[in-house]
Amino acid sequence: MNDGISSKRRRVDADLSAGTDPTAPMIIHLSALPIGVLSHVSSFLAAPSRALFAATLFGNDENNDNRSKIAGNDWDTLDFGDIEAALAAKLSDDHLNAMLRCIDAVRKVKKLRLTNCMNISGTGLEPLRGSDVIERIDLRINAWDRRSEPAISCDDTIPILESIIEDEGCALLHLQFPKKWRNARGRAGSDFYHFLLQYK
């Protein structure tokens, strides 16, 4: 009996000398959980949160079948008004880019609304370049925090919009512009002014 106790003590001493604490809780990364569990958890999330969850877990690995099990396949509409305004306001272009790639937005998303996405400049829309399925894009931020101006930029966004409009199979029917662009449209030198003249 003493031999058992002493061998256990030796194992504990060895763990401590190796820098590991045998009493410490084991940390498991979320992606190590069974896909069925993750899929069930994601089913309770709003669509944008599901896409962000899948992108965070699996990145942009296009060969990972688990991404669609988490994010789902029904991506007719991506509306950031479906999540808390404070969360949408914290999303960056990197987040948006990862989400759009994760859900294969260029082939699936027909309606996009950037509601409350205060920090999005437009570079995150790159995965939509040349989309021939998107029908409606609403770039009005409708900011919940009226004290700060949305980051959405003509320079970053217009080249992507042009790639969609100029695509031979363009399906775009409705394009809603941010208020700050509409306020600047009268300025003859503005990028937005030239964009409007081009597609008038």
mmCIF file with all atom_site columns, all heavy atoms in Angstrom, residues 34-54:
data_model
loop_
_atom_site.group_PDB
_atom_site.id
_atom_site.type_symbol
_atom_site.label_atom_id
_atom_site.label_alt_id
_atom_site.label_comp_id
_atom_site.label_asym_id
_atom_site.label_entity_id
_atom_site.label_seq_id
_atom_site.pdbx_PDB_ins_code
_atom_site.Cartn_x
_atom_site.Cartn_y
_atom_site.Cartn_z
_atom_site.occupancy
_atom_site.B_iso_or_equiv
_atom_site.pdbx_formal_charge
_atom_site.auth_seq_id
_atom_site.auth_comp_id
_atom_site.auth_asym_id
_atom_site.auth_atom_id
_atom_site.pdbx_PDB_model_num
ATOM 1   N N   . PRO A 1 34 ? -16.866 17.613 -30.427 1.00 0.00 ? 34 PRO A N   1
ATOM 2   C CA  . PRO A 1 34 ? -17.518 16.925 -31.556 1.00 0.00 ? 34 PRO A CA  1
ATOM 3   C C   . PRO A 1 34 ? -18.322 17.905 -32.408 1.00 0.00 ? 34 PRO A C   1
ATOM 4   O O   . PRO A 1 34 ? -18.972 18.807 -31.889 1.00 0.00 ? 34 PRO A O   1
ATOM 5   C CB  . PRO A 1 34 ? -18.432 15.904 -30.866 1.00 0.00 ? 34 PRO A CB  1
ATOM 6   C CG  . PRO A 1 34 ? -17.865 15.727 -29.508 1.00 0.00 ? 34 PRO A CG  1
ATOM 7   C CD  . PRO A 1 34 ? -17.232 17.037 -29.132 1.00 0.00 ? 34 PRO A CD  1
ATOM 8   N N   . ILE A 1 35 ? -18.278 17.718 -33.709 1.00 0.00 ? 35 ILE A N   1
ATOM 9   C CA  . ILE A 1 35 ? -18.943 18.632 -34.634 1.00 0.00 ? 35 ILE A CA  1
ATOM 10  C C   . ILE A 1 35 ? -20.450 18.689 -34.380 1.00 0.00 ? 35 ILE A C   1
ATOM 11  O O   . ILE A 1 35 ? -21.073 19.730 -34.560 1.00 0.00 ? 35 ILE A O   1
ATOM 12  C CB  . ILE A 1 35 ? -18.631 18.273 -36.101 1.00 0.00 ? 35 ILE A CB  1
ATOM 13  C CG1 . ILE A 1 35 ? -19.052 19.424 -37.036 1.00 0.00 ? 35 ILE A CG1 1
ATOM 14  C CG2 . ILE A 1 35 ? -19.273 16.969 -36.513 1.00 0.00 ? 35 ILE A CG2 1
ATOM 15  C CD1 . ILE A 1 35 ? -18.304 20.702 -36.813 1.00 0.00 ? 35 ILE A CD1 1
ATOM 16  N N   . GLY A 1 36 ? -21.040 17.589 -33.922 1.00 0.00 ? 36 GLY A N   1
ATOM 17  C CA  . GLY A 1 36 ? -22.469 17.588 -33.614 1.00 0.00 ? 36 GLY A CA  1
ATOM 18  C C   . GLY A 1 36 ? -22.813 18.556 -32.498 1.00 0.00 ? 36 GLY A C   1
ATOM 19  O O   . GLY A 1 36 ? -23.841 19.241 -32.541 1.00 0.00 ? 36 GLY A O   1
ATOM 20  N N   . VAL A 1 37 ? -21.944 18.635 -31.493 1.00 0.00 ? 37 VAL A N   1
ATOM 21  C CA  . VAL A 1 37 ? -22.150 19.564 -30.369 1.00 0.00 ? 37 VAL A CA  1
ATOM 22  C C   . VAL A 1 37 ? -22.042 20.996 -30.864 1.00 0.00 ? 37 VAL A C   1
ATOM 23  O O   . VAL A 1 37 ? -22.895 21.849 -30.565 1.00 0.00 ? 37 VAL A O   1
ATOM 24  C CB  . VAL A 1 37 ? -21.110 19.300 -29.247 1.00 0.00 ? 37 VAL A CB  1
ATOM 25  C CG1 . VAL A 1 37 ? -21.179 20.383 -28.174 1.00 0.00 ? 37 VAL A CG1 1
ATOM 26  C CG2 . VAL A 1 37 ? -21.320 17.922 -28.635 1.00 0.00 ? 37 VAL A CG2 1
ATOM 27  N N   . LEU A 1 38 ? -20.997 21.283 -31.650 1.00 0.00 ? 38 LEU A N   1
ATOM 28  C CA  . LEU A 1 38 ? -20.799 22.639 -32.168 1.00 0.00 ? 38 LEU A CA  1
ATOM 29  C C   . LEU A 1 38 ? -21.947 23.056 -33.092 1.00 0.00 ? 38 LEU A C   1
ATOM 30  O O   . LEU A 1 38 ? -22.401 24.192 -33.048 1.00 0.00 ? 38 LEU A O   1
ATOM 31  C CB  . LEU A 1 38 ? -19.470 22.713 -32.918 1.00 0.00 ? 38 LEU A CB  1
ATOM 32  C CG  . LEU A 1 38 ? -18.219 22.501 -32.069 1.00 0.00 ? 38 LEU A CG  1
ATOM 33  C CD1 . LEU A 1 38 ? -16.984 22.403 -32.957 1.00 0.00 ? 38 LEU A CD1 1
ATOM 34  C CD2 . LEU A 1 38 ? -18.061 23.613 -31.054 1.00 0.00 ? 38 LEU A CD2 1
ATOM 35  N N   . SER A 1 39 ? -22.405 22.128 -33.900 1.00 0.00 ? 39 SER A N   1
ATOM 36  C CA  . SER A 1 39 ? -23.515 22.404 -34.810 1.00 0.00 ? 39 SER A CA  1
ATOM 37  C C   . SER A 1 39 ? -24.790 22.717 -34.032 1.00 0.00 ? 39 SER A C   1
ATOM 38  O O   . SER A 1 39 ? -25.533 23.641 -34.378 1.00 0.00 ? 39 SER A O   1
ATOM 39  C CB  . SER A 1 39 ? -23.724 21.204 -35.735 1.00 0.00 ? 39 SER A CB  1
ATOM 40  O OG  . SER A 1 39 ? -24.794 21.431 -36.600 1.00 0.00 ? 39 SER A OG  1
ATOM 41  N N   . HIS A 1 40 ? -25.028 21.961 -32.962 1.00 0.00 ? 40 HIS A N   1
ATOM 42  C CA  . HIS A 1 40 ? -26.218 22.189 -32.134 1.00 0.00 ? 40 HIS A CA  1
ATOM 43  C C   . HIS A 1 40 ? -26.144 23.559 -31.463 1.00 0.00 ? 40 HIS A C   1
ATOM 44  O O   . HIS A 1 40 ? -27.127 24.309 -31.458 1.00 0.00 ? 40 HIS A O   1
ATOM 45  C CB  . HIS A 1 40 ? -26.354 21.083 -31.087 1.00 0.00 ? 40 HIS A CB  1
ATOM 46  C CG  . HIS A 1 40 ? -27.554 21.234 -30.213 1.00 0.00 ? 40 HIS A CG  1
ATOM 47  N ND1 . HIS A 1 40 ? -28.845 21.063 -30.689 1.00 0.00 ? 40 HIS A ND1 1
ATOM 48  C CD2 . HIS A 1 40 ? -27.668 21.560 -28.900 1.00 0.00 ? 40 HIS A CD2 1
ATOM 49  C CE1 . HIS A 1 40 ? -29.705 21.278 -29.701 1.00 0.00 ? 40 HIS A CE1 1
ATOM 50  N NE2 . HIS A 1 40 ? -29.013 21.580 -28.606 1.00 0.00 ? 40 HIS A NE2 1
ATOM 51  N N   . VAL A 1 41 ? -24.970 23.901 -30.919 1.00 0.00 ? 41 VAL A N   1
ATOM 52  C CA  . VAL A 1 41 ? -24.788 25.207 -30.271 1.00 0.00 ? 41 VAL A CA  1
ATOM 53  C C   . VAL A 1 41 ? -25.021 26.328 -31.279 1.00 0.00 ? 41 VAL A C   1
ATOM 54  O O   . VAL A 1 41 ? -25.718 27.304 -30.995 1.00 0.00 ? 41 VAL A O   1
ATOM 55  C CB  . VAL A 1 41 ? -23.370 25.315 -29.660 1.00 0.00 ? 41 VAL A CB  1
ATOM 56  C CG1 . VAL A 1 41 ? -23.054 26.749 -29.248 1.00 0.00 ? 41 VAL A CG1 1
ATOM 57  C CG2 . VAL A 1 41 ? -23.231 24.380 -28.468 1.00 0.00 ? 41 VAL A CG2 1
ATOM 58  N N   . SER A 1 42 ? -24.462 26.175 -32.480 1.00 0.00 ? 42 SER A N   1
ATOM 59  C CA  . SER A 1 42 ? -24.582 27.241 -33.489 1.00 0.00 ? 42 SER A CA  1
ATOM 60  C C   . SER A 1 42 ? -26.024 27.440 -33.954 1.00 0.00 ? 42 SER A C   1
ATOM 61  O O   . SER A 1 42 ? -26.375 28.515 -34.428 1.00 0.00 ? 42 SER A O   1
ATOM 62  C CB  . SER A 1 42 ? -23.675 26.957 -34.683 1.00 0.00 ? 42 SER A CB  1
ATOM 63  O OG  . SER A 1 42 ? -24.161 25.875 -35.443 1.00 0.00 ? 42 SER A OG  1
ATOM 64  N N   . SER A 1 43 ? -26.853 26.412 -33.807 1.00 0.00 ? 43 SER A N   1
ATOM 65  C CA  . SER A 1 43 ? -28.249 26.531 -34.251 1.00 0.00 ? 43 SER A CA  1
ATOM 66  C C   . SER A 1 43 ? -29.033 27.556 -33.426 1.00 0.00 ? 43 SER A C   1
ATOM 67  O O   . SER A 1 43 ? -30.095 27.997 -33.834 1.00 0.00 ? 43 SER A O   1
ATOM 68  C CB  . SER A 1 43 ? -28.946 25.166 -34.213 1.00 0.00 ? 43 SER A CB  1
ATOM 69  O OG  . SER A 1 43 ? -29.141 24.741 -32.874 1.00 0.00 ? 43 SER A OG  1
ATOM 70  N N   . PHE A 1 44 ? -28.494 27.941 -32.270 1.00 0.00 ? 44 PHE A N   1
ATOM 71  C CA  . PHE A 1 44 ? -29.153 28.932 -31.419 1.00 0.00 ? 44 PHE A CA  1
ATOM 72  C C   . PHE A 1 44 ? -28.682 30.354 -31.720 1.00 0.00 ? 44 PHE A C   1
ATOM 73  O O   . PHE A 1 44 ? -29.192 31.307 -31.145 1.00 0.00 ? 44 PHE A O   1
ATOM 74  C CB  . PHE A 1 44 ? -28.887 28.622 -29.932 1.00 0.00 ? 44 PHE A CB  1
ATOM 75  C CG  . PHE A 1 44 ? -29.551 27.352 -29.466 1.00 0.00 ? 44 PHE A CG  1
ATOM 76  C CD1 . PHE A 1 44 ? -28.861 26.146 -29.482 1.00 0.00 ? 44 PHE A CD1 1
ATOM 77  C CD2 . PHE A 1 44 ? -30.873 27.354 -29.031 1.00 0.00 ? 44 PHE A CD2 1
ATOM 78  C CE1 . PHE A 1 44 ? -29.467 24.971 -29.073 1.00 0.00 ? 44 PHE A CE1 1
ATOM 79  C CE2 . PHE A 1 44 ? -31.485 26.187 -28.618 1.00 0.00 ? 44 PHE A CE2 1
ATOM 80  C CZ  . PHE A 1 44 ? -30.789 24.989 -28.634 1.00 0.00 ? 44 PHE A CZ  1
ATOM 81  N N   . LEU A 1 45 ? -27.714 30.490 -32.614 1.00 0.00 ? 45 LEU A N   1
ATOM 82  C CA  . LEU A 1 45 ? -27.141 31.801 -32.916 1.00 0.00 ? 45 LEU A CA  1
ATOM 83  C C   . LEU A 1 45 ? -27.838 32.455 -34.107 1.00 0.00 ? 45 LEU A C   1
ATOM 84  O O   . LEU A 1 45 ? -28.324 31.774 -35.004 1.00 0.00 ? 45 LEU A O   1
ATOM 85  C CB  . LEU A 1 45 ? -25.646 31.653 -33.238 1.00 0.00 ? 45 LEU A CB  1
ATOM 86  C CG  . LEU A 1 45 ? -24.754 31.076 -32.144 1.00 0.00 ? 45 LEU A CG  1
ATOM 87  C CD1 . LEU A 1 45 ? -23.335 30.878 -32.685 1.00 0.00 ? 45 LEU A CD1 1
ATOM 88  C CD2 . LEU A 1 45 ? -24.742 31.963 -30.919 1.00 0.00 ? 45 LEU A CD2 1
ATOM 89  N N   . ALA A 1 46 ? -27.837 33.783 -34.106 1.00 0.00 ? 46 ALA A N   1
ATOM 90  C CA  . ALA A 1 46 ? -28.319 34.532 -35.275 1.00 0.00 ? 46 ALA A CA  1
ATOM 91  C C   . ALA A 1 46 ? -27.361 34.274 -36.437 1.00 0.00 ? 46 ALA A C   1
ATOM 92  O O   . ALA A 1 46 ? -26.185 33.949 -36.222 1.00 0.00 ? 46 ALA A O   1
ATOM 93  C CB  . ALA A 1 46 ? -28.368 36.021 -34.946 1.00 0.00 ? 46 ALA A CB  1
ATOM 94  N N   . ALA A 1 47 ? -27.840 34.417 -37.653 1.00 0.00 ? 47 ALA A N   1
ATOM 95  C CA  . ALA A 1 47 ? -27.056 34.068 -38.845 1.00 0.00 ? 47 ALA A CA  1
ATOM 96  C C   . ALA A 1 47 ? -25.657 34.702 -38.867 1.00 0.00 ? 47 ALA A C   1
ATOM 97  O O   . ALA A 1 47 ? -24.672 33.994 -39.084 1.00 0.00 ? 47 ALA A O   1
ATOM 98  C CB  . ALA A 1 47 ? -27.840 34.428 -40.107 1.00 0.00 ? 47 ALA A CB  1
ATOM 99  N N   . PRO A 1 48 ? -25.510 36.020 -38.641 1.00 0.00 ? 48 PRO A N   1
ATOM 100 C CA  . PRO A 1 48 ? -24.150 36.585 -38.669 1.00 0.00 ? 48 PRO A CA  1
ATOM 101 C C   . PRO A 1 48 ? -23.244 35.974 -37.594 1.00 0.00 ? 48 PRO A C   1
ATOM 102 O O   . PRO A 1 48 ? -22.051 35.760 -37.837 1.00 0.00 ? 48 PRO A O   1
ATOM 103 C CB  . PRO A 1 48 ? -24.372 38.077 -38.412 1.00 0.00 ? 48 PRO A CB  1
ATOM 104 C CG  . PRO A 1 48 ? -25.776 38.328 -38.835 1.00 0.00 ? 48 PRO A CG  1
ATOM 105 C CD  . PRO A 1 48 ? -26.521 37.075 -38.478 1.00 0.00 ? 48 PRO A CD  1
ATOM 106 N N   . SER A 1 49 ? -23.797 35.679 -36.439 1.00 0.00 ? 49 SER A N   1
ATOM 107 C CA  . SER A 1 49 ? -23.008 35.072 -35.365 1.00 0.00 ? 49 SER A CA  1
ATOM 108 C C   . SER A 1 49 ? -22.578 33.659 -35.733 1.00 0.00 ? 49 SER A C   1
ATOM 109 O O   . SER A 1 49 ? -21.471 33.227 -35.410 1.00 0.00 ? 49 SER A O   1
ATOM 110 C CB  . SER A 1 49 ? -23.806 35.048 -34.059 1.00 0.00 ? 49 SER A CB  1
ATOM 111 O OG  . SER A 1 49 ? -24.052 36.353 -33.604 1.00 0.00 ? 49 SER A OG  1
ATOM 112 N N   . ARG A 1 50 ? -23.447 32.914 -36.441 1.00 0.00 ? 50 ARG A N   1
ATOM 113 C CA  . ARG A 1 50 ? -23.084 31.567 -36.903 1.00 0.00 ? 50 ARG A CA  1
ATOM 114 C C   . ARG A 1 50 ? -21.905 31.624 -37.864 1.00 0.00 ? 50 ARG A C   1
ATOM 115 O O   . ARG A 1 50 ? -20.972 30.834 -37.781 1.00 0.00 ? 50 ARG A O   1
ATOM 116 C CB  . ARG A 1 50 ? -24.267 30.899 -37.613 1.00 0.00 ? 50 ARG A CB  1
ATOM 117 C CG  . ARG A 1 50 ? -25.209 30.167 -36.719 1.00 0.00 ? 50 ARG A CG  1
ATOM 118 C CD  . ARG A 1 50 ? -26.076 29.160 -37.468 1.00 0.00 ? 50 ARG A CD  1
ATOM 119 N NE  . ARG A 1 50 ? -26.422 29.453 -38.830 1.00 0.00 ? 50 ARG A NE  1
ATOM 120 C CZ  . ARG A 1 50 ? -27.482 30.141 -39.214 1.00 0.00 ? 50 ARG A CZ  1
ATOM 121 N NH1 . ARG A 1 50 ? -28.312 30.637 -38.333 1.00 0.00 ? 50 ARG A NH1 1
ATOM 122 N NH2 . ARG A 1 50 ? -27.729 30.341 -40.495 1.00 0.00 ? 50 ARG A NH2 1
ATOM 123 N N   . ALA A 1 51 ? -21.952 32.581 -38.791 1.00 0.00 ? 51 ALA A N   1
ATOM 124 C CA  . ALA A 1 51 ? -20.870 32.724 -39.766 1.00 0.00 ? 51 ALA A CA  1
ATOM 125 C C   . ALA A 1 51 ? -19.563 33.099 -39.077 1.00 0.00 ? 51 ALA A C   1
ATOM 126 O O   . ALA A 1 51 ? -18.501 32.563 -39.404 1.00 0.00 ? 51 ALA A O   1
ATOM 127 C CB  . ALA A 1 51 ? -21.243 33.776 -40.810 1.00 0.00 ? 51 ALA A CB  1
ATOM 128 N N   . LEU A 1 52 ? -19.643 34.008 -38.107 1.00 0.00 ? 52 LEU A N   1
ATOM 129 C CA  . LEU A 1 52 ? -18.448 34.425 -37.375 1.00 0.00 ? 52 LEU A CA  1
ATOM 130 C C   . LEU A 1 52 ? -17.896 33.275 -36.538 1.00 0.00 ? 52 LEU A C   1
ATOM 131 O O   . LEU A 1 52 ? -16.681 33.065 -36.475 1.00 0.00 ? 52 LEU A O   1
ATOM 132 C CB  . LEU A 1 52 ? -18.776 35.626 -36.485 1.00 0.00 ? 52 LEU A CB  1
ATOM 133 C CG  . LEU A 1 52 ? -17.609 36.254 -35.729 1.00 0.00 ? 52 LEU A CG  1
ATOM 134 C CD1 . LEU A 1 52 ? -16.519 36.729 -36.687 1.00 0.00 ? 52 LEU A CD1 1
ATOM 135 C CD2 . LEU A 1 52 ? -18.091 37.404 -34.858 1.00 0.00 ? 52 LEU A CD2 1
ATOM 136 N N   . PHE A 1 53 ? -18.782 32.496 -35.931 1.00 0.00 ? 53 PHE A N   1
ATOM 137 C CA  . PHE A 1 53 ? -18.395 31.336 -35.125 1.00 0.00 ? 53 PHE A CA  1
ATOM 138 C C   . PHE A 1 53 ? -17.653 30.319 -35.995 1.00 0.00 ? 53 PHE A C   1
ATOM 139 O O   . PHE A 1 53 ? -16.568 29.847 -35.645 1.00 0.00 ? 53 PHE A O   1
ATOM 140 C CB  . PHE A 1 53 ? -19.659 30.719 -34.511 1.00 0.00 ? 53 PHE A CB  1
ATOM 141 C CG  . PHE A 1 53 ? -19.423 29.608 -33.524 1.00 0.00 ? 53 PHE A CG  1
ATOM 142 C CD1 . PHE A 1 53 ? -18.453 29.702 -32.550 1.00 0.00 ? 53 PHE A CD1 1
ATOM 143 C CD2 . PHE A 1 53 ? -20.202 28.470 -33.564 1.00 0.00 ? 53 PHE A CD2 1
ATOM 144 C CE1 . PHE A 1 53 ? -18.254 28.680 -31.624 1.00 0.00 ? 53 PHE A CE1 1
ATOM 145 C CE2 . PHE A 1 53 ? -20.021 27.437 -32.656 1.00 0.00 ? 53 PHE A CE2 1
ATOM 146 C CZ  . PHE A 1 53 ? -19.035 27.544 -31.680 1.00 0.00 ? 53 PHE A CZ  1
ATOM 147 N N   . ALA A 1 54 ? -18.200 30.012 -37.156 1.00 0.00 ? 54 ALA A N   1
ATOM 148 C CA  . ALA A 1 54 ? -17.568 29.043 -38.068 1.00 0.00 ? 54 ALA A CA  1
ATOM 149 C C   . ALA A 1 54 ? -16.235 29.559 -38.587 1.00 0.00 ? 54 ALA A C   1
ATOM 150 O O   . ALA A 1 54 ? -15.253 28.806 -38.660 1.00 0.00 ? 54 ALA A O   1
ATOM 151 C CB  . ALA A 1 54 ? -18.513 28.725 -39.228 1.00 0.00 ? 54 ALA A CB  1
#
